[in-house]
Amino acid sequence: MGFWGRRDRAEQQREDAADTELSRRARAALIAADERIRTTGDELAFASAELGDAATAELRVGLASVREHMTEAFQLHQLNHDHLPDTPEELRTRNARIVQLCEWAESVLDERTSALQAKIERIRRAPEILHRLRADIAALRERLPEARATLDRLAERYTPEALQRVRMTSGDAEQLLDFALQSAELSERRAAAGKPEDAMLALESATETVRRAGSILDGVDGFEIEALRTQTTLAEVVEDSRGDLVAARGERRTPEVEAAIARLEAELAETASSQRRDPFADLAVVSAANAALDAARERANRPVVPVEQVQHAVAAADHAIGVASGLIEGHRGWIGADARTRLAEARRLRGELAAMPTAEEARDEALRLARRISGLADDALRLAQRDIDSARPDDDDWGWGGGRPGPGGRGGGGGAGSILGPVIGGVILGGLLDDIFD
């Protein structure tokens, strides 16, 4: 009893310590959250002056929601200290809820103020950003003559369809740079007029426009490099294709191979027909024609299975199914699920084999399927024989009345019952069969 009493006191002391710590956390969290709300209110006022009401709307809504929910936290804390006595469980529940509400409030304010801080930092750095934008615009303008020369050179070498991958021209880039400069100047004017929202919008527009203009000019340079790489790859594929054509002409020429040769020759001739080409499209069509010839050659050079071999395999499969079916049908009462399943699968595949086409290219699959059917039928025969051997007594002479007791415990007729029961396959079972022979 003393041991259990000490144990209960130790447990109570641990619970009291945990409740005290939770109460302390609740008070500290309440103070921190309240201070954070006051600080955030001040930050919201400054941010509204710098960015405008629209940019700070999310923080304003979040702050209002936090204040509303923190009212509940203060009410719970008041209940903990009123004149009414509370149970430890009630205090524990209220303090846990206070901590939860305060942590949620801190999380909401962190999220909203961090998102707004980036905008505040950006508007404060607007003069620096505008200075850098003007420098970027000037640098991109210096690239315009080179981009025009590059496009003129590309137009002599590639088709309009190929040049569509550039998507936009140097003229488009120049227009974007003009618009970016106008947006930057507008941002300065709106900031001076005390309209921070308009100034920020114009600044963001200028920044995005400069980025797009730079990507256009980069795309012009990138297209020329990528086109040269594609031409190199195309030359390698063309050389490989010509070698494949030479090899194909010396091999077995099926109609499929003849068609593939004609297609590849036509694509090679078209590729070399003019100076202005689309290397990307040429590479795609020549590669596809080359792959088609490779596939046709592989099928043509594969040894053709003689039709007689397929016929013999099918006949063997039918014979195997017939033997297995005869044994299983004659001893159904003794045959288990494995043998029946093998036979059923063999018959199903035999139906698929009957529906297969008779063309040369289908003979390989037909031969494989016929051998699979034979294997399944042989398995069914083996499993059926196993089932019969395991069910038949060792001294069974398959006679009529060997003196062994039948299913009902009687002799004479029981021997006849033991042999005819499996043969009939369960149609007449147990005592009914014995009654017939009795």
Side-chain angles (χ1 to χ4, degrees):
M1 292 297 292
F3 169 77
W4 291 112
R6 288 193 299 273
R7 182 175 181 180
D8 291 342
R9 287 195 298 273
E11 182 66 26
Q12 185 62 45
Q13 290 174 354
R14 284 194 293 270
E15 289 183 2
D16 292 343
D19 290 342
T20 302
E21 174 61 20
L22 181 59
S23 177
R24 186 198 64 78
R25 285 182 55 201
R27 290 194 299 271
L30 199 62
I31 295 172
D34 188 54
E35 287 297 320
R36 180 63 187 278
I37 290 173
R38 298 176 187 277
T39 303
T40 304
D42 296 337
E43 292 178 355
L44 177 60
F46 291 126
S48 298
E50 288 189 280
L51 302 177
D53 293 337
T56 57
E58 290 188 5
L59 177 58
R60 186 175 294 103
V61 172
L63 184 59
S65 178
V66 165
R67 283 171 173 163
E68 179 182 354
H69 284 81
M70 284 302 296
T71 301
E72 178 187 352
F74 282 110
Q75 289 175 345
L76 293 173
H77 186 69
Q78 177 61 34
L79 290 175
N80 286 344
H81 296 83
D82 60 14
H83 64 282
L84 298 177
D86 300 307
T87 65
E89 183 62 29
E90 289 175 336
L91 292 172
R92 192 178 303 122
T93 301
R94 289 173 192 159
N95 286 327
R97 177 61 175 166
I98 291 171
V99 172
Q100 180 187 34
L101 288 170
C102 294
E103 290 178 348
W104 171 82
E106 295 269 8
S107 175
V108 170
L109 296 180
D110 284 343
E111 178 185 355
R112 302 295 173 90
T113 54
S114 61
L116 193 61
Q117 189 61 37
K119 295 181 180 180
I120 295 174
E121 184 67 20
R122 188 174 182 83
I123 197 65
R124 290 175 179 174
R125 294 178 53 244
E128 176 188 348
I129 295 174
L130 288 171
H131 178 74
R132 188 174 68 249
L133 279 176
R134 286 192 171 90
D136 292 341
I137 291 171
L140 292 175
R141 285 191 187 280
E142 293 179 358
R143 293 176 56 186
L144 289 175
E146 181 182 357
R148 294 191 187 98
T150 300
L151 287 173
D152 293 340
R153 184 170 63 252
L154 294 175
E156 297 176 357
R157 196 181 305 169
Y158 304 110
T159 63
E161 292 76 14
L163 291 175
Q164 285 181 354
R165 289 177 171 81
V166 179
R167 301 188 179 217
M168 302 181 78
T169 65
S170 58
D172 299 321
E174 186 173 12
Q175 291 180 5
L176 289 173
L177 292 176
D178 291 339
F179 180 77
L181 185 59
Q182 294 171 3
S183 298
E185 294 172 351
L186 178 62
S187 178
E188 287 180 325
R189 292 197 300 270
R190 289 293 186 267
K195 298 181 178 180
E197 296 179 12
D198 294 344
M200 177 61 66
L201 181 61
L203 181 62
E204 292 176 352
S205 177
T207 302
E208 175 61 19
T209 305
V210 170
R211 187 195 66 78
R212 291 184 60 193
S215 66
I216 291 174
L217 298 178
D218 292 340
V220 173
D221 297 336
F223 172 84
E224 186 172 25
I225 295 173
E226 190 62 30
L228 290 174
R229 289 176 178 169
T230 304
Q231 283 183 295
T232 301
T233 304
L234 176 62
E236 296 173 354
V237 174
V238 168
E239 182 179 359
D240 180 68
S241 298
R242 288 171 178 162
D244 290 343
L245 287 172
V246 173
R249 294 188 182 99
E251 296 172 350
R252 186 169 179 265
R253 306 278 287 273
T254 63
E256 185 183 10
V257 172
E258 292 288 355
I261 289 174
R263 174 187 172 187
L264 182 55
E265 288 177 339
E267 298 296 353
L268 292 177
E270 175 65 22
T271 300
S273 61
S274 63
Q275 294 296 323
R276 298 176 65 212
R277 298 294 306 171
D278 183 349
F280 305 98
D282 290 343
L283 178 60
V285 295
V286 172
S287 296
N290 183 271
L293 177 59
D294 289 341
R297 290 173 59 198
E298 181 181 355
R299 286 189 290 270
N301 293 326
R302 187 184 305 152
V304 179
V305 177
V307 65
E308 293 81 6
Q309 186 177 358
V310 178
Q311 291 173 349
H312 293 159
V314 172
D318 290 339
H319 177 71
I321 290 176
V323 172
S325 298
L327 183 63
I328 292 174
E329 289 294 330
H331 302 81
R332 288 181 301 181
W334 282 336
I335 305 304
D338 292 343
R340 296 170 187 264
T341 301
R342 301 295 197 285
L343 180 59
E345 180 66 8
R347 286 172 172 167
R348 186 188 68 81
L349 294 179
R350 184 62 181 88
E352 292 185 3
L353 180 60
M356 288 186 63
T358 58
E360 289 185 358
E361 57 270 16
R363 291 179 188 173
D364 281 342
E365 180 62 20
L367 182 61
R368 184 197 65 79
L369 192 57
R371 289 171 176 170
R372 171 67 175 156
I373 294 169
S374 295
L376 287 169
D378 291 341
D379 286 344
L381 180 65
R382 176 181 55 80
L383 292 170
Q385 189 62 56
R386 181 200 66 184
D387 293 339
I388 294 170
D389 292 342
S390 62
R392 187 178 62 203
D394 293 337
D395 58 346
D396 187 356
D397 60 359
W398 294 78
W400 294 91
R404 296 180 303 278
R410 297 181 293 275
S418 65
I419 182 63
L420 287 182
V423 172
I424 295 174
V427 177
I428 303 175
L429 298 175
L432 178 60
L433 182 63
D434 288 334
D435 291 340
I436 292 175
F437 281 92
D438 286 345

